[in-house]
């Protein structure tokens, strides 16, 4: 009773603060109210839920409603035509498509105020329904909508599901879509892309076998179940105190006796529950600044330890503590947690590493205690960004995932000393700066100009883009905003945002207005969220400036020495940035500037005495797309040049050094035998405009120099050609021998090429236009050894769709050549070829591969029936790879095993059908 009274008093305070918040916003704002009563019984033999639901819908909109849109998200698992299935296929995931254990609702029969109602399923989405009201629902009026329903619980493909008798009951009941000032927000269920729901109350009773342990949204009211959890917790602690070995425990049989447990929840917009007979239970208590206490629970099955690591349950020994610490951290930095409890459960999940619901979160497998802490913190944090600040995260996912990732990163930095999930290992990146992994994650897509702005619809992202843009980029830009205005001001603004918008539905414009009201110019932040605009700052010059007088720096009219910096932003993002003065590579002082500062014709003045260089964003806070030009010495022959370093292995760029990577390589072919050489390259990750690799080597068998290499430059015109790459490549090896290896025949090839990516609006599809010229020099056995030179031109159009279940690739090529087959005999041809490759999956991991090839000579001076190495080949062996495109261990000698290596090109099969000459 004491806990209930405290909960009610807390609720009263929350309601008062919420009502006060309304007065600070436009009178146009309104918010609907939905109050639920649900009764459900679990059948864990048939994996079904038999239930009834009644919800009261209150219309607070200024206009009457003629219909109510309802989400039936359990139907997302009904068949292959749902938006969920289509999104899974777009991501290349075939599991649900081929599964036989699907699920969905049945026995729905909606009534309104006790009378049968007209309703129908949305023709485009079986997980959305619309109820037509007999009479309009006016402003301030309420209706009661009820229906029985049976839910067939699917296997665990995403969020709702079961693994044997472990149940993840989320999105498990019919619920109205949000209606706000922008209209109805009826949305199909998606795996990548989350939710938007109305606030209200829940009164939920669950009936199931009595040996299930249940974690759920809300406050538990059933006394016997409270005692059951207390007993479970005591048993768990006793077991851990005995240091029992963590072992994988089988699913126990279900009790023949049933129990009914009841939960209530206030000021929430969803209700989830998880049930597992194997759950261990731990409890801790969070203590908030106001004096309020919050029960913090962890529920998890035991799992075995392996030779490679501890079982998951070993990590969960501190699970309740991680929940507690997360609740206390977010309460301090965002606003006080308003609910009576918070729970984390370890259960099946296919939609990422964790998933949040009000007061409860489900966590998947982790790789360490620290990793578990991070995921629990992130998911518990969603009680603020999603649960309390209930923005429309389907349309604006950055307001939920991005802000929550920012606070998760601050938590990790506080308790583990790192911003975000860590940094790349030193052997990959020779610099120890926090946030390196996050920054490179952003650059991977941004430098390719394929980054989707974080403030985009969830379904507009690729799978990797959703993580790198919505989570990582938003967190990094928020950290940037914090550093530019100061942590105290940032925290003040966010506390104010929380106070005004808790238990409401803020939009980006509301967030922006809140920043403005707190004296923060965040226009550039929203520019970064809503566009692909990039920051690319460079110091053009750093010149000594003596006896400057400038009150802008807060030091009155005092004279001092310094430097005049001419800084240019070659990008389109107008954002604040810092400049650091350095001496002997160590920071001396740092100042922040704005785009308005660098717009001065005279440049910006930096007061400094003993310095020898300046660097923009020394602390790696901004998302500068190219840090190589952020550095400037105050003297020297090449003041803008970064120091040069040599590394043995360097796949990832070092922004503070110009890296030359030199790595030994070894190879073998039948003509050169063993080859030794060096690979010289500039680090390729993230991508850069200019990339090169050179592989000079020496053949120990041929005693000849060999090698290959490529120089490539890419740029981004936009429009019909989003990306264009211009390159030149070279390769030269021996390809044949005679007289027992005494005579070597060599080929050399130069290949200039231009490759243009074409604009595409189709999901999971890319296509390219490619033109190349091959300058070939090939030695042949003719009156000794003679050199034959020929030139091949090829124009090729190719495309690829990786969308499951039947991905395909194709190409169409037009090729021409004027060549000499023997001295003084010249030929030419023009040929057209087309190829189609497709994989037809008939099970998740079983498929049939199909390849179709057609080709014809449009012009051939040699004659259509005269075989030669340039003919359309039925037996693509090494000796008729006349373009020297493919890798063959032996290009000659069909009588030995290596010489029978076959490629899949032209009309040839994977295996040779004969050893006759090409036809």
């Amino acid at each position: 009773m004491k806990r209930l009274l405290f909960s009610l008093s807390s609720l009263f305070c929350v309601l008062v603060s919420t009502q006060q918040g309304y007065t600070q916003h436009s009178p146009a704002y309104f918010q609907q109210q939905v109050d639920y009563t649900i009764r459900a019984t679990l059948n864990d033999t048939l994996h079904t839920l038999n239930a009834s639901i009644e919800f009261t819908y209150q219309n607070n909109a200024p206009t009457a409603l003629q219909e109510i849109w309802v989400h039936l998200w359990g139907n997302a698992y009904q068949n292959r035509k749902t938006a969920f299935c289509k999104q899974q296929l777009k991501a290349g995931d075939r599991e649900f498509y081929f599964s036989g254990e699907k699920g969905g609702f049945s026995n729905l029969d909606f009534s309104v105020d006790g009378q049968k109602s007209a309703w129908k399923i949305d023709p485009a989405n079986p997980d959305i329904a619309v109820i037509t009201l007999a009479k309009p629902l006016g402003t301030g009026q309420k209706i009661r909508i009820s229906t029985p329903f049976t839910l067939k619980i699917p296997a665990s493909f995403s969020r709702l599901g079961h693994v044997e008798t472990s149940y993840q009951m989320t999105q498990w009941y019919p619920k109205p879509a949000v209606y706000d000032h922008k209209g109805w927000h009826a949305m199909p269920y998606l795996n990548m892309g989350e939710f938007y729901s109305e606030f209200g109350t829940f009164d939920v009773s669950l009936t199931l076998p009595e040996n299930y342990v249940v974690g759920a949204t809300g406050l538990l009211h059933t006394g016997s179940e409270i005692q059951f959890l207390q007993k479970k917790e005591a048993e768990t602690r006793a077991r851990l105190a005995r240091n029992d070995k963590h072992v994988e425990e089988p699913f126990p049989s279900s009790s023949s006796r049933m129990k009914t447990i009841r939960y209530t929840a206030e000021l929430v917009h969803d209700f989830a529950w998880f049930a597992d007979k194997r759950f261990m239970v731990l409890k801790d208590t969070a203590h908030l600044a106001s004096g309020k206490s919050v029960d913090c629970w962890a529920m998890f099955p035991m799992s075995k330890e392996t030779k490679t690591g501890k079982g998951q349950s070993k990590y969960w020994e501190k699970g309740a503590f991680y929940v507690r610490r997360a609740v206390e951290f977010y309460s301090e930095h965002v606003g006080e947690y308003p609910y009576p409890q918070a729970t984390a459960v370890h259960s099946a999940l296919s939609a990422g590493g964790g998933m949040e619901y009000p007061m409860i979160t489900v966590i998947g497998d982790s790789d360490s205690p620290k990793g578990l802490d991070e995921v629990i913190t992130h998911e518990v944090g969603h009680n603020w960004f999603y649960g309390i600040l209930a923005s429309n995260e389907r349309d604006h996912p950055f307001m939920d995932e991005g802000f929550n990732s920012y606070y998760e990163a601050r938590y990790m930095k506080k308790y583990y000393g790192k911003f975000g999930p860590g940094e790349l290992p030193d052997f990959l990146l020779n610099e120890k700066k926090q946030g390196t992994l996050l920054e490179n994650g952003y650059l991977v897509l941004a430098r390719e100009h394929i980054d989707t702005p974080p403030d985009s619809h969830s379904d507009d992202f690729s799978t990797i883009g959703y993580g790198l843009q919505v989570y990582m980029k938003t967190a990094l830009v928020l950290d940037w905003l914090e550093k530019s205005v100061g942590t105290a001001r940032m925290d003040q603004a966010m506390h104010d945002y929380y106070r005004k918008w808790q238990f409401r539905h803020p939009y980006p414009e509301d967030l922006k207005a809140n920043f403005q009201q707190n004296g923060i110019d965040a226009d550039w932040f929203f520019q970064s969220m809503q566009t692909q605009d990039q920051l690319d700052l460079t110091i053009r010059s750093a010149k000594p400036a003596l006896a400057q007088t400038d009150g802008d720096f807060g030091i009155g009219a005092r004279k001092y020495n310094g430097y005049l910096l001419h800084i240019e932003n070659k990008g389109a993002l107008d954002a604040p940035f810092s400049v650091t003065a350095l001496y002997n590579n160590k920071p001396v002082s740092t100042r922040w500037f704005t785009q308005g500062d660098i717009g001065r014709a005279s440049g910006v003045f930096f007061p400094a005495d003993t310095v020898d260089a300046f660097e923009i964003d020394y602390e790696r806070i901004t998302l500068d797309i190219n840090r190589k030009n952020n550095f400037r010495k105050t003297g020297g022959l090449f003041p803008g040049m970064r120091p040069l370093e040599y590394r043995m292995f360097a796949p990832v760029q070092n922004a503070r050094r110009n890296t030359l990577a030199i790595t030994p390589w070894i190879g073998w072919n039948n003509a050169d035998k063993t080859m030794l050489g060096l690979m010289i390259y500039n680090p390729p990750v993230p991508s850069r405009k200019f990339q090169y690799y050179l592989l000079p080597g020496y053949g120990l068998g041929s005693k000849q120099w060999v090698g290959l290499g490529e120089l490539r430059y890419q740029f981004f015109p936009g429009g019909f050609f989003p990306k264009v790459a211009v390159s030149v490549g070279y390769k030269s090896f021996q390809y044949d021998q005679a007289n027992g290896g005494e005579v070597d025949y060599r080929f050399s090839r130069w290949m200039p090429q231009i490759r243009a990516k074409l604009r595409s609006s189709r999901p999971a599809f890319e296509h390219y236009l490619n033109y190349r010229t091959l300058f070939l020099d090939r030695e042949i056995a003719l009156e000794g050894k003679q050199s034959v030179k020929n030139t091949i031109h090829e124009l090729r159009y190719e495309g690829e769709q990786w969308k499951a279940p039947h991905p395909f690739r194709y190409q169409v090529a037009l090729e021409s050549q004027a060549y000499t087959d023997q001295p003084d005999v010249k030929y030419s041809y023009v040929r057209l070829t087309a190829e189609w490759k497709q994989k037809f999956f008939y099970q998740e991991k079983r498929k049939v591969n199909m390849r179709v090839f057609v080709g014809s000579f449009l012009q051939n001076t040699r004659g259509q029936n005269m075989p030669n190495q340039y003919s359309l080949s039925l037996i693509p062996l090494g000796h008729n790879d006349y373009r020297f495109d493919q890798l063959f261990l032996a290009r000659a000698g069909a009588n030995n095993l290596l010489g029978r290596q076959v490629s899949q090109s032209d009309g040839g099969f994977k295996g040779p059908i004969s050893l006759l000459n090409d036809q």
Side-chain angles (χ1 to χ4, degrees):
M1 180 64 69
K2 182 177 180 180
R3 182 182 303 279
L4 178 60
L5 290 175
F6 183 82
S7 177
L8 291 174
S9 64
S10 299
L11 174 62
F12 175 77
C13 293
V14 167
L15 287 171
V16 171
S17 66
T18 303
Q19 294 302 318
Q20 289 175 341
Y22 276 93
T23 63
Q24 302 179 38
H25 303 280
S26 167
Y29 182 86
F30 65 89
Q31 184 172 307
Q32 311 291 61
Q33 170 95 6
V34 185
D35 299 316
Y36 299 86
T37 301
I38 307 176
R39 305 288 181 262
T41 300
L42 174 67
N43 184 325
D44 66 351
T45 301
L46 300 176
H47 305 303
T48 58
L49 196 72
N50 297 308
S52 64
I53 183 173
E54 178 179 284
F55 58 85
T56 301
Y57 186 95
Q58 178 171 325
N59 180 22
N60 296 320
T63 57
L65 299 178
Q66 188 63 61
E67 57 191 15
I68 305 294
W69 288 83
V70 178
H71 291 140
L72 305 174
W73 280 330
N75 280 350
Y77 307 93
Q78 188 178 78
N79 55 44
R80 296 176 172 181
K81 298 180 180 180
T82 65
F84 163 70
C85 184
K86 293 174 183 177
Q87 188 187 65
Q88 293 294 89
L89 293 178
K90 186 174 71 171
D93 189 328
R94 300 177 296 273
E95 182 184 12
F96 174 76
Y97 184 87
F98 286 107
S99 171
E101 195 175 359
K102 295 180 170 61
F105 288 113
S106 60
N107 300 325
L108 290 164
D109 188 13
F110 286 102
S111 296
V112 176
D113 289 334
Q115 301 296 316
K116 299 292 185 182
S117 178
W119 68 279
K120 63 180 180 180
I121 297 290
D122 178 14
N125 295 289
D127 52 349
I128 298 175
V130 58
I131 300 172
T132 301
L133 303 180
K135 60 179 181 179
L137 180 66
T139 302
Q141 294 181 341
K142 299 180 181 180
I143 54 172
R144 290 181 296 105
I145 299 176
S146 62
T147 183
F149 68 90
T150 298
L151 175 64
K152 178 68 173 75
I153 304 168
S156 181
F157 301 110
S158 182
R159 298 180 178 93
L160 168 67
H162 76 95
V163 176
E164 296 190 41
T165 55
S166 175
Y167 292 92
Q168 302 81 48
M169 302 306 298
T170 66
Q171 290 83 43
W172 58 281
Y173 57 91
K175 63 186 303 187
V178 172
Y179 182 77
D180 62 16
H181 65 286
K182 297 187 179 184
W184 282 105
H185 296 273
M187 57 185 71
Y189 176 89
L190 294 177
N191 185 67
M192 189 180 74
E194 295 173 17
F195 312 112
Y196 188 36
S197 304
E198 299 285 16
F199 279 101
T201 65
F202 285 83
D203 187 329
V204 179
S205 294
L206 304 173
T207 301
L208 70 171
E210 69 174 3
N211 57 335
Y212 273 94
V213 179
V214 178
T217 297
L219 187 65
L220 176 63
H221 290 276
T222 307
S224 58
E225 187 68 8
I226 294 172
Q227 294 175 2
F228 175 70
L229 292 179
Q230 291 172 344
K231 181 180 178 182
K232 275 288 183 181
E233 187 204 4
E235 292 174 353
T236 301
R237 293 199 178 277
R239 180 169 180 175
L240 295 178
R242 291 194 304 268
N243 198 26
D244 281 2
K245 185 176 181 180
H246 290 255
V247 295
E248 197 79 35
E249 295 184 341
F251 288 92
S253 299
S254 295
S255 172
S256 59
R257 298 180 60 180
M258 306 291 280
K259 65 181 177 183
T260 297
I261 52 181
R262 177 173 173 256
Y263 297 87
T264 62
E266 307 280 350
L267 287 170
V268 295
H269 50 68
D270 203 355
F271 189 101
W273 57 282
F274 303 86
D276 196 318
K277 290 167 287 188
R278 304 167 302 160
F279 275 158
M280 300 289 106
V281 177
L282 291 174
K283 181 185 177 186
D284 205 332
T285 304
H287 300 282
L288 308 185
S290 66
K292 177 183 176 181
S293 296
V294 178
D295 292 338
C296 299
W297 298 87
M299 299 179 179
F300 54 94
M302 297 300 286
S303 56
K304 63 182 178 181
E305 298 184 46
T306 66
K307 293 181 179 179
T308 58
K310 297 178 179 179
Q312 292 293 311
S313 56
K314 189 68 177 176
Y315 303 152
W316 277 82
E317 290 182 5
K318 295 183 69 175
F321 167 72
Y322 296 147
V323 174
R324 165 194 158 186
R325 194 162 67 176
V327 168
E328 292 174 345
F329 178 87
Y330 276 81
S331 293
E332 177 186 354
H333 291 88
V334 184
E336 185 166 281
Y337 187 73
Y339 303 124
Q341 64 95 0
T343 302
V345 302
H346 179 214
S347 190
L349 179 70
S350 301
M355 183 62 206
E356 71 279 0
Y357 300 92
M359 300 185 229
I360 191 163
T361 179
V362 57
I363 310 294
D365 287 350
S366 301
D367 58 4
S368 66
K370 173 186 169 185
L372 176 61
D373 187 8
E374 183 170 17
V375 178
I376 286 179
T377 296
H378 180 91
E379 303 307 333
V380 169
H382 275 301
N383 279 280
W384 283 260
F385 298 98
Y386 150 83
I388 301 167
L389 297 165
S391 56
N392 181 350
E393 58 178 318
R394 182 67 63 88
D395 289 345
H396 308 285
F398 85 103
M399 295 182 71
D400 171 59
E401 297 294 357
F403 272 77
N404 191 40
S405 296
Y406 161 72
Y407 280 101
E408 169 210 332
R410 287 181 62 173
Y411 174 95
M412 295 301 290
K413 188 171 184 180
K414 178 177 180 178
Y415 292 109
Y416 296 96
K418 293 184 177 182
F419 182 92
E423 55 188 4
L424 292 178
D426 289 344
F427 79 92
L428 289 179
L429 188 68
N430 191 24
E431 56 176 328
K432 298 179 180 179
K433 291 300 296 180
Q434 304 297 339
T436 300
L437 177 59
L438 291 174
E439 179 182 314
N440 279 287
Y442 159 74
L443 292 175
V444 163
L445 299 183
R447 285 195 180 174
E448 290 290 311
H449 294 249
I450 55 174
D451 52 320
T452 304
D455 190 12
S456 301
H457 191 280
S458 297
D459 204 29
D460 291 343
F461 293 88
S462 65
T463 303
I464 188 173
Y466 195 68
L468 293 180
Q469 297 301 120
V470 174
Y471 290 71
M472 288 189 178
K473 180 181 178 181
T474 307
L476 286 169
V477 179
L478 282 169
D479 180 62
W480 181 359
L481 179 63
E482 175 203 332
K483 297 301 190 298
S484 68
V485 301
T487 302
R489 183 183 290 184
M490 182 73 172
D491 286 349
Q492 177 185 344
M494 291 306 297
H495 276 92
D496 189 51
Y497 176 57
Y498 178 81
R499 180 179 60 82
K500 292 176 181 176
W501 285 98
Q502 58 183 325
F503 311 116
R504 305 181 68 195
H505 300 306
Y507 274 90
E509 52 267 31
D510 303 311
L511 176 63
K512 186 175 182 178
N514 182 79
F515 280 134
Q516 292 173 340
Q517 292 163 7
N518 282 274
I520 296 177
D521 179 6
D523 287 354
W524 65 271
F525 168 79
F526 290 94
Q527 182 187 359
S528 178
M529 293 296 100
Q530 296 163 354
T531 71
Q532 289 181 312
D533 291 348
Q534 299 173 346
L535 183 76
D536 185 9
L537 295 165
T538 180
I539 304 179
R540 292 296 186 188
S541 65
K543 299 179 179 179
L546 304 177
Q548 292 290 322
T549 302
D550 195 336
D552 292 342
F553 295 103
I555 54 178
R558 183 167 61 87
K559 294 184 178 181
Y560 51 87
N561 295 332
Y563 286 82
L564 201 60
L565 306 180
H566 285 269
I567 300 173
E568 178 185 349
N569 183 5
K570 299 195 293 184
L573 180 64
D574 296 333
F577 62 94
S578 67
V579 177
T580 297
L582 304 171
Y583 184 72
N584 288 335
N585 291 324
K586 295 181 179 180
V588 175
S589 62
T590 298
R591 289 181 174 271
W592 278 85
F593 298 96
T594 66
Q595 296 296 312
D597 294 327
I598 66 174
R600 303 173 186 171
S602 60
V604 297
F605 184 78
F606 197 113
D609 261 333
T610 308
V611 300
D612 55 18
F614 290 93
E615 183 172 350
I616 296 172
D617 194 25
Y618 176 83
E619 293 296 326
R620 304 287 290 272
I621 294 167
T622 75
L623 290 183
D624 197 306
I625 198 69
N626 176 23
R627 296 189 180 277
K628 295 293 186 182
N629 58 11
N630 288 11
F631 179 79
R632 192 85 184 181
K633 296 179 182 177
T634 57
L637 187 59
F638 301 104
M641 181 176 291
R642 293 279 193 177
L644 181 65
E645 68 171 1
Y646 299 92
R647 301 195 63 198
M648 178 72 73
F649 180 62
V652 181
Q653 297 168 31
N654 182 342
R656 287 206 162 89
R657 297 287 188 271
N658 290 313
T659 303
L660 180 64
I662 304 177
T663 305
W665 66 269
I666 183 171
W668 189 91
N669 68 47
N670 197 45
D672 291 298
K673 306 305 181 186
T674 300
M675 297 172 285
L676 301 176
L678 295 175
M679 180 170 62
I680 305 167
Y681 62 97
N682 56 349
V685 180
S687 68
R688 54 209 306 163
K689 288 186 176 180
F690 178 66
Q691 184 72 53
Y692 67 86
Y693 68 87
L694 307 171
L695 282 81
Y698 187 76
L700 300 183
S702 63
K703 295 180 174 53
Q704 299 289 329
W705 291 101
V706 297
L708 70 159
E710 183 183 65
L711 308 177
R712 183 177 71 248
Y713 182 82
Q714 63 182 22
F715 55 99
F716 304 89
F720 192 71
F721 298 104
K723 175 183 174 181
V724 176
V726 179
S727 64
V728 58
Y730 175 79
K731 64 169 63 175
S732 183
F733 296 89
Q734 274 60 239
Y735 72 96
D736 198 3
Q737 292 179 328
N739 298 335
E742 293 182 1
V743 180
D744 297 303
Y745 296 99
R746 184 185 190 91
F747 80 88
S748 298
R749 187 187 80 172
W750 286 95
M751 189 184 75
Q753 178 174 241
I754 182 168
R755 180 175 176 83
K757 184 177 182 179
L758 306 178
R759 183 175 58 201
S760 172
S761 59
R762 293 168 55 186
F765 175 78
E766 290 182 353
H767 57 153
Y768 297 84
L769 196 62
N770 196 91
Y771 176 75
R772 63 176 181 164
T773 301
L774 283 67
F775 297 101
L776 295 167
D777 187 347
R778 179 168 52 94
E779 295 176 345
I780 63 173
L782 187 64
E783 298 179 1
K785 184 165 64 173
Q786 294 191 13
S787 177
V788 176
K789 294 181 173 62
N790 53 309
T791 302
I792 301 175
H793 301 276
E794 181 193 65
L795 179 65
R796 184 173 71 251
Y797 169 68
E798 59 190 69
E800 177 179 12
Q801 177 178 284
W802 55 89
K803 179 180 177 181
H806 309 306
F808 61 83
R809 301 178 65 180
Y810 63 85
Q811 66 175 20
V812 179
L814 185 67
E815 180 183 301
S816 69
Q817 181 181 184
Y819 65 97
T820 301
D821 198 35
Q822 52 187 312
D824 302 324
V825 181
K826 299 183 181 300
Y827 300 100
S828 66
Y829 67 82
V830 177
R831 77 172 193 168
L832 180 66
T833 60
E835 179 185 62
W836 184 282
K837 291 183 177 181
Q838 189 155 8
K839 298 177 182 179
F840 294 94
F841 284 86
Y842 57 91
Q843 292 180 13
E844 182 187 354
K845 297 181 180 180
R846 293 182 178 271
K847 65 182 184 296
V848 174
N849 292 329
M850 181 192 75
R851 177 176 179 267
V852 177
F853 174 85
V854 295
S856 178
F857 285 93
L858 305 182
Q859 178 261 330
N860 189 353
T861 61
R862 190 178 185 114
Q864 295 285 354
N865 299 317
M866 295 184 64
N868 67 94
Q869 68 169 337
Y870 308 117
S871 301
L872 297 170
S873 175
L874 290 177
I875 312 169
L877 301 169
H879 71 271
N880 50 35
D881 177 25
Y882 62 92
R883 292 180 292 248
F884 294 95
D885 275 339
Q886 303 184 56
L887 176 64
F888 282 93
L889 296 177
R891 292 182 175 271
N895 292 327
N896 63 63
L897 181 63
L898 292 177
R900 298 184 185 185
Q901 180 186 344
V902 177
S903 70
Q904 195 172 38
S905 60
D906 285 3
F909 293 91
K910 190 64 177 177
I913 58 175
S914 72
L915 294 178
L916 300 175
N917 289 333
D918 298 341
Q919 300 296 319

